[in-house]
mmCIF file of all heavy atoms in Angstrom:
data_model
loop_
_atom_site.group_PDB
_atom_site.id
_atom_site.type_symbol
_atom_site.label_atom_id
_atom_site.label_comp_id
_atom_site.label_asym_id
_atom_site.label_seq_id
_atom_site.Cartn_x
_atom_site.Cartn_y
_atom_site.Cartn_z
ATOM 1 N N LEU A 150 115.362 54.007 -65.820
ATOM 2 C CA LEU A 150 116.370 55.044 -65.650
ATOM 3 C C LEU A 150 116.039 55.878 -64.426
ATOM 4 O O LEU A 150 114.867 56.199 -64.186
ATOM 5 C CB LEU A 150 116.417 55.963 -66.873
ATOM 6 C CG LEU A 150 116.751 55.336 -68.223
ATOM 7 C CD1 LEU A 150 116.595 56.369 -69.335
ATOM 8 C CD2 LEU A 150 118.167 54.790 -68.225
ATOM 9 N N VAL A 151 117.038 56.235 -63.656
ATOM 10 C CA VAL A 151 116.877 57.150 -62.537
ATOM 11 C C VAL A 151 117.758 58.359 -62.826
ATOM 12 O O VAL A 151 118.990 58.254 -62.816
ATOM 13 C CB VAL A 151 117.295 56.500 -61.199
ATOM 14 C CG1 VAL A 151 117.067 57.482 -60.046
ATOM 15 C CG2 VAL A 151 116.514 55.218 -60.961
ATOM 16 N N LEU A 152 117.126 59.497 -63.127
ATOM 17 C CA LEU A 152 117.867 60.686 -63.517
ATOM 18 C C LEU A 152 117.457 61.876 -62.662
ATOM 19 O O LEU A 152 116.311 61.947 -62.187
ATOM 20 C CB LEU A 152 117.608 61.019 -64.995
ATOM 21 C CG LEU A 152 118.014 59.951 -66.022
ATOM 22 C CD1 LEU A 152 117.502 60.332 -67.401
ATOM 23 C CD2 LEU A 152 119.519 59.774 -66.054
ATOM 24 N N GLY A 153 118.362 62.805 -62.472
ATOM 25 C CA GLY A 153 118.030 64.025 -61.759
ATOM 26 C C GLY A 153 117.104 64.884 -62.603
ATOM 27 O O GLY A 153 117.168 64.870 -63.836
ATOM 28 N N LYS A 154 116.217 65.632 -61.951
ATOM 29 C CA LYS A 154 115.286 66.481 -62.689
ATOM 30 C C LYS A 154 116.004 67.520 -63.545
ATOM 31 O O LYS A 154 115.484 67.967 -64.568
ATOM 32 C CB LYS A 154 114.342 67.191 -61.714
ATOM 33 C CG LYS A 154 113.281 66.294 -61.117
ATOM 34 C CD LYS A 154 112.318 67.092 -60.255
ATOM 35 C CE LYS A 154 111.261 66.185 -59.642
ATOM 36 N NZ LYS A 154 110.323 66.944 -58.785
ATOM 37 N N ASP A 155 117.218 67.886 -63.119
ATOM 38 C CA ASP A 155 117.952 68.894 -63.870
ATOM 39 C C ASP A 155 118.473 68.369 -65.203
ATOM 40 O O ASP A 155 119.062 69.114 -65.993
ATOM 41 C CB ASP A 155 119.107 69.453 -63.030
ATOM 42 C CG ASP A 155 120.068 68.364 -62.540
ATOM 43 O OD1 ASP A 155 119.859 67.183 -62.880
ATOM 44 O OD2 ASP A 155 121.009 68.706 -61.815
ATOM 45 N N THR A 156 118.248 67.081 -65.475
ATOM 46 C CA THR A 156 118.623 66.523 -66.781
ATOM 47 C C THR A 156 117.751 67.123 -67.885
ATOM 48 O O THR A 156 118.151 67.192 -69.039
ATOM 49 C CB THR A 156 118.460 64.989 -66.779
ATOM 50 O OG1 THR A 156 119.199 64.435 -65.686
ATOM 51 C CG2 THR A 156 118.969 64.370 -68.076
ATOM 52 N N PHE A 157 116.555 67.554 -67.513
ATOM 53 C CA PHE A 157 115.597 68.098 -68.471
ATOM 54 C C PHE A 157 115.161 69.494 -68.031
ATOM 55 O O PHE A 157 115.124 69.801 -66.843
ATOM 56 C CB PHE A 157 114.358 67.192 -68.560
ATOM 57 C CG PHE A 157 114.681 65.736 -68.762
ATOM 58 C CD1 PHE A 157 114.785 64.888 -67.670
ATOM 59 C CD2 PHE A 157 114.883 65.227 -70.027
ATOM 60 C CE1 PHE A 157 115.087 63.543 -67.833
ATOM 61 C CE2 PHE A 157 115.189 63.882 -70.210
ATOM 62 C CZ PHE A 157 115.292 63.043 -69.109
ATOM 63 N N GLU A 158 114.814 70.333 -69.001
ATOM 64 C CA GLU A 158 114.305 71.655 -68.674
ATOM 65 C C GLU A 158 112.963 71.544 -67.960
ATOM 66 O O GLU A 158 112.632 72.344 -67.092
ATOM 67 C CB GLU A 158 114.160 72.502 -69.943
ATOM 68 C CG GLU A 158 115.501 72.876 -70.580
ATOM 69 C CD GLU A 158 115.330 73.775 -71.792
ATOM 70 O OE1 GLU A 158 114.189 74.232 -72.027
ATOM 71 O OE2 GLU A 158 116.316 74.028 -72.487
ATOM 72 N N LYS A 159 112.170 70.549 -68.342
ATOM 73 C CA LYS A 159 110.912 70.252 -67.679
ATOM 74 C C LYS A 159 110.656 68.756 -67.794
ATOM 75 O O LYS A 159 111.083 68.110 -68.766
ATOM 76 C CB LYS A 159 109.752 71.059 -68.272
ATOM 77 C CG LYS A 159 109.640 70.991 -69.781
ATOM 78 C CD LYS A 159 108.550 71.921 -70.278
ATOM 79 C CE LYS A 159 108.441 71.881 -71.793
ATOM 80 N NZ LYS A 159 107.361 72.766 -72.285
ATOM 81 N N PRO A 160 109.967 68.164 -66.803
ATOM 82 C CA PRO A 160 109.771 66.703 -66.786
ATOM 83 C C PRO A 160 109.154 66.135 -68.061
ATOM 84 O O PRO A 160 109.448 65.001 -68.445
ATOM 85 C CB PRO A 160 108.838 66.497 -65.583
ATOM 86 C CG PRO A 160 109.131 67.659 -64.687
ATOM 87 C CD PRO A 160 109.404 68.815 -65.611
ATOM 88 N N GLU A 161 108.301 66.931 -68.738
ATOM 89 C CA GLU A 161 107.645 66.433 -69.943
ATOM 90 C C GLU A 161 108.649 66.039 -71.023
ATOM 91 O O GLU A 161 108.371 65.196 -71.874
ATOM 92 C CB GLU A 161 106.694 67.506 -70.502
ATOM 93 C CG GLU A 161 105.440 67.735 -69.682
ATOM 94 C CD GLU A 161 105.683 68.598 -68.458
ATOM 95 O OE1 GLU A 161 106.837 69.089 -68.296
ATOM 96 O OE2 GLU A 161 104.749 68.778 -67.664
ATOM 97 N N GLN A 162 109.844 66.649 -70.985
ATOM 98 C CA GLN A 162 110.846 66.325 -71.995
ATOM 99 C C GLN A 162 111.368 64.897 -71.846
ATOM 100 O O GLN A 162 111.900 64.333 -72.802
ATOM 101 C CB GLN A 162 112.012 67.314 -71.910
ATOM 102 C CG GLN A 162 111.669 68.713 -72.398
ATOM 103 C CD GLN A 162 112.875 69.619 -72.381
ATOM 104 O OE1 GLN A 162 113.859 69.361 -71.694
ATOM 105 N NE2 GLN A 162 112.806 70.705 -73.132
ATOM 106 N N ALA A 163 111.217 64.333 -70.644
ATOM 107 C CA ALA A 163 111.652 62.951 -70.438
ATOM 108 C C ALA A 163 110.868 62.011 -71.344
ATOM 109 O O ALA A 163 111.426 61.072 -71.927
ATOM 110 C CB ALA A 163 111.475 62.556 -68.979
ATOM 111 N N PHE A 164 109.560 62.266 -71.490
ATOM 112 C CA PHE A 164 108.736 61.449 -72.371
ATOM 113 C C PHE A 164 109.251 61.541 -73.807
ATOM 114 O O PHE A 164 109.445 60.532 -74.494
ATOM 115 C CB PHE A 164 107.273 61.925 -72.335
ATOM 116 C CG PHE A 164 106.514 61.522 -71.114
ATOM 117 C CD1 PHE A 164 106.283 62.433 -70.094
ATOM 118 C CD2 PHE A 164 106.005 60.242 -70.986
ATOM 119 C CE1 PHE A 164 105.566 62.069 -68.965
ATOM 120 C CE2 PHE A 164 105.287 59.863 -69.865
ATOM 121 C CZ PHE A 164 105.070 60.779 -68.850
ATOM 122 N N ARG A 166 112.209 62.606 -75.129
ATOM 123 C CA ARG A 166 113.557 62.111 -75.437
ATOM 124 C C ARG A 166 113.637 60.597 -75.383
ATOM 125 O O ARG A 166 114.244 59.959 -76.258
ATOM 126 C CB ARG A 166 114.564 62.748 -74.484
ATOM 127 C CG ARG A 166 114.793 64.226 -74.759
ATOM 128 C CD ARG A 166 115.783 64.847 -73.799
ATOM 129 N NE ARG A 166 117.129 64.301 -73.929
ATOM 130 C CZ ARG A 166 118.151 64.708 -73.190
ATOM 131 N NH1 ARG A 166 117.982 65.660 -72.288
ATOM 132 N NH2 ARG A 166 119.354 64.171 -73.355
ATOM 133 N N VAL A 202 106.768 57.992 -66.519
ATOM 134 C CA VAL A 202 107.671 58.882 -65.794
ATOM 135 C C VAL A 202 107.044 59.250 -64.456
ATOM 136 O O VAL A 202 105.910 59.716 -64.401
ATOM 137 C CB VAL A 202 107.965 60.168 -66.595
ATOM 138 C CG1 VAL A 202 108.892 61.092 -65.795
ATOM 139 C CG2 VAL A 202 108.605 59.834 -67.939
ATOM 140 N N ASN A 203 107.793 59.020 -63.365
ATOM 141 C CA ASN A 203 107.338 59.386 -62.025
ATOM 142 C C ASN A 203 108.344 60.335 -61.391
ATOM 143 O O ASN A 203 109.559 60.146 -61.519
ATOM 144 C CB ASN A 203 107.200 58.139 -61.133
ATOM 145 C CG ASN A 203 106.110 57.212 -61.613
ATOM 146 O OD1 ASN A 203 104.974 57.614 -61.783
ATOM 147 N ND2 ASN A 203 106.463 55.959 -61.860
ATOM 148 N N GLU A 204 107.819 61.359 -60.708
ATOM 149 C CA GLU A 204 108.677 62.310 -60.007
ATOM 150 C C GLU A 204 108.792 61.899 -58.544
ATOM 151 O O GLU A 204 107.787 61.706 -57.869
ATOM 152 C CB GLU A 204 108.110 63.726 -60.101
ATOM 153 C CG GLU A 204 108.037 64.272 -61.522
ATOM 154 C CD GLU A 204 107.571 65.710 -61.557
ATOM 155 O OE1 GLU A 204 108.035 66.511 -60.726
ATOM 156 O OE2 GLU A 204 106.720 66.038 -62.416
ATOM 157 N N ILE A 205 110.005 61.751 -58.051
ATOM 158 C CA ILE A 205 110.253 61.398 -56.652
ATOM 159 C C ILE A 205 111.354 62.313 -56.124
ATOM 160 O O ILE A 205 112.509 62.207 -56.544
ATOM 161 C CB ILE A 205 110.680 59.927 -56.497
ATOM 162 C CG1 ILE A 205 109.606 58.990 -57.061
ATOM 163 C CG2 ILE A 205 110.942 59.588 -55.035
ATOM 164 C CD1 ILE A 205 110.009 57.531 -57.086
ATOM 165 N N GLU A 206 110.959 63.221 -55.232
ATOM 166 C CA GLU A 206 111.910 64.196 -54.693
ATOM 167 C C GLU A 206 112.571 64.942 -55.858
ATOM 168 O O GLU A 206 111.900 65.531 -56.674
ATOM 169 C CB GLU A 206 112.960 63.485 -53.817
ATOM 170 C CG GLU A 206 112.368 62.723 -52.620
ATOM 171 C CD GLU A 206 111.768 63.645 -51.575
ATOM 172 O OE1 GLU A 206 112.188 64.822 -51.506
ATOM 173 O OE2 GLU A 206 110.888 63.198 -50.817
ATOM 174 N N ASN A 207 113.902 64.908 -55.952
ATOM 175 C CA ASN A 207 114.619 65.612 -57.027
ATOM 176 C C ASN A 207 114.986 64.680 -58.173
ATOM 177 O O ASN A 207 115.867 64.985 -58.976
ATOM 178 C CB ASN A 207 115.894 66.251 -56.465
ATOM 179 C CG ASN A 207 116.874 65.200 -55.947
ATOM 180 O OD1 ASN A 207 116.458 64.150 -55.466
ATOM 181 N ND2 ASN A 207 118.160 65.483 -56.035
ATOM 182 N N LEU A 208 114.290 63.544 -58.241
ATOM 183 C CA LEU A 208 114.617 62.532 -59.249
ATOM 184 C C LEU A 208 113.434 62.266 -60.168
ATOM 185 O O LEU A 208 112.279 62.508 -59.825
ATOM 186 C CB LEU A 208 115.011 61.221 -58.559
ATOM 187 C CG LEU A 208 116.186 61.263 -57.582
ATOM 188 C CD1 LEU A 208 116.291 59.937 -56.854
ATOM 189 C CD2 LEU A 208 117.482 61.566 -58.331
ATOM 190 N N LEU A 209 113.754 61.749 -61.354
ATOM 191 C CA LEU A 209 112.751 61.240 -62.269
ATOM 192 C C LEU A 209 112.990 59.750 -62.457
ATOM 193 O O LEU A 209 114.095 59.331 -62.795
ATOM 194 C CB LEU A 209 112.834 61.937 -63.633
ATOM 195 C CG LEU A 209 112.408 63.405 -63.697
ATOM 196 C CD1 LEU A 209 112.552 63.912 -65.128
ATOM 197 C CD2 LEU A 209 110.974 63.590 -63.229
ATOM 198 N N MET A 210 111.956 58.942 -62.188
ATOM 199 C CA MET A 210 112.013 57.510 -62.447
ATOM 200 C C MET A 210 111.370 57.268 -63.809
ATOM 201 O O MET A 210 110.182 57.522 -63.991
ATOM 202 C CB MET A 210 111.247 56.742 -61.368
ATOM 203 C CG MET A 210 111.858 56.819 -59.983
ATOM 204 S SD MET A 210 113.323 55.781 -59.827
ATOM 205 C CE MET A 210 112.604 54.165 -60.063
ATOM 206 N N ILE A 211 112.162 56.823 -64.760
ATOM 207 C CA ILE A 211 111.663 56.601 -66.115
ATOM 208 C C ILE A 211 111.656 55.108 -66.403
ATOM 209 O O ILE A 211 112.691 54.439 -66.309
ATOM 210 C CB ILE A 211 112.543 57.327 -67.149
ATOM 211 C CG1 ILE A 211 112.645 58.824 -66.810
ATOM 212 C CG2 ILE A 211 111.984 57.130 -68.560
ATOM 213 C CD1 ILE A 211 113.636 59.567 -67.671
ATOM 214 N N PHE A 271 122.062 60.479 -73.639
ATOM 215 C CA PHE A 271 122.298 61.192 -72.381
ATOM 216 C C PHE A 271 123.784 61.413 -72.074
ATOM 217 O O PHE A 271 124.124 61.962 -71.023
ATOM 218 C CB PHE A 271 121.626 60.450 -71.223
ATOM 219 C CG PHE A 271 120.134 60.426 -71.330
ATOM 220 C CD1 PHE A 271 119.468 59.280 -71.724
ATOM 221 C CD2 PHE A 271 119.390 61.567 -71.050
ATOM 222 C CE1 PHE A 271 118.086 59.258 -71.837
ATOM 223 C CE2 PHE A 271 118.006 61.565 -71.159
ATOM 224 C CZ PHE A 271 117.349 60.410 -71.562
ATOM 225 N N ASP A 283 121.451 57.970 -54.838
ATOM 226 C CA ASP A 283 120.204 58.559 -55.334
ATOM 227 C C ASP A 283 119.389 57.545 -56.118
ATOM 228 O O ASP A 283 118.156 57.513 -56.024
ATOM 229 C CB ASP A 283 120.511 59.768 -56.225
ATOM 230 C CG ASP A 283 120.926 60.988 -55.412
ATOM 231 O OD1 ASP A 283 120.803 60.935 -54.171
ATOM 232 O OD2 ASP A 283 121.374 61.985 -56.013
ATOM 233 N N GLU A 284 120.075 56.704 -56.897
ATOM 234 C CA GLU A 284 119.373 55.685 -57.670
ATOM 235 C C GLU A 284 118.701 54.673 -56.742
ATOM 236 O O GLU A 284 117.554 54.262 -56.972
ATOM 237 C CB GLU A 284 120.353 54.973 -58.600
ATOM 238 C CG GLU A 284 120.936 55.885 -59.669
ATOM 239 C CD GLU A 284 122.070 55.237 -60.444
ATOM 240 O OE1 GLU A 284 122.700 54.308 -59.892
ATOM 241 O OE2 GLU A 284 122.314 55.646 -61.582
ATOM 242 N N PHE A 286 117.761 55.197 -53.673
ATOM 243 C CA PHE A 286 116.640 55.868 -53.014
ATOM 244 C C PHE A 286 115.405 55.862 -53.905
ATOM 245 O O PHE A 286 114.299 55.515 -53.472
ATOM 246 C CB PHE A 286 117.026 57.312 -52.670
ATOM 247 C CG PHE A 286 115.867 58.150 -52.213
ATOM 248 C CD1 PHE A 286 115.370 58.034 -50.925
ATOM 249 C CD2 PHE A 286 115.259 59.044 -53.084
ATOM 250 C CE1 PHE A 286 114.291 58.793 -50.508
ATOM 251 C CE2 PHE A 286 114.176 59.804 -52.676
ATOM 252 C CZ PHE A 286 113.694 59.683 -51.380
ATOM 253 N N GLY A 287 115.600 56.236 -55.171
ATOM 254 C CA GLY A 287 114.470 56.262 -56.097
ATOM 255 C C GLY A 287 113.882 54.882 -56.310
ATOM 256 O O GLY A 287 112.665 54.708 -56.341
ATOM 257 N N LYS A 290 111.989 53.740 -53.179
ATOM 258 C CA LYS A 290 110.749 54.509 -53.042
ATOM 259 C C LYS A 290 109.682 53.975 -53.994
ATOM 260 O O LYS A 290 108.538 53.739 -53.608
ATOM 261 C CB LYS A 290 111.029 55.974 -53.359
ATOM 262 C CG LYS A 290 109.874 56.928 -53.075
ATOM 263 C CD LYS A 290 109.928 57.423 -51.657
ATOM 264 C CE LYS A 290 108.899 58.524 -51.431
ATOM 265 N NZ LYS A 290 108.936 59.052 -50.059
#
Side-chain angles (χ1 to χ4, degrees):
L150 300 174
V151 182
L152 299 171
K154 286 185 181 179
D155 57 2
T156 306
F157 310 94
E158 292 183 9
K159 50 185 179 179
E161 288 79 4
Q162 289 184 340
F164 284 102
R166 289 179 65 180
V202 179
N203 294 305
E204 297 184 43
I205 302 174
E206 300 292 335
N207 64 328
L208 302 172
L209 290 180
M210 294 285 296
I211 305 172
F271 295 104
D283 285 351
E284 295 171 336
F286 170 78
K290 188 88 172 181

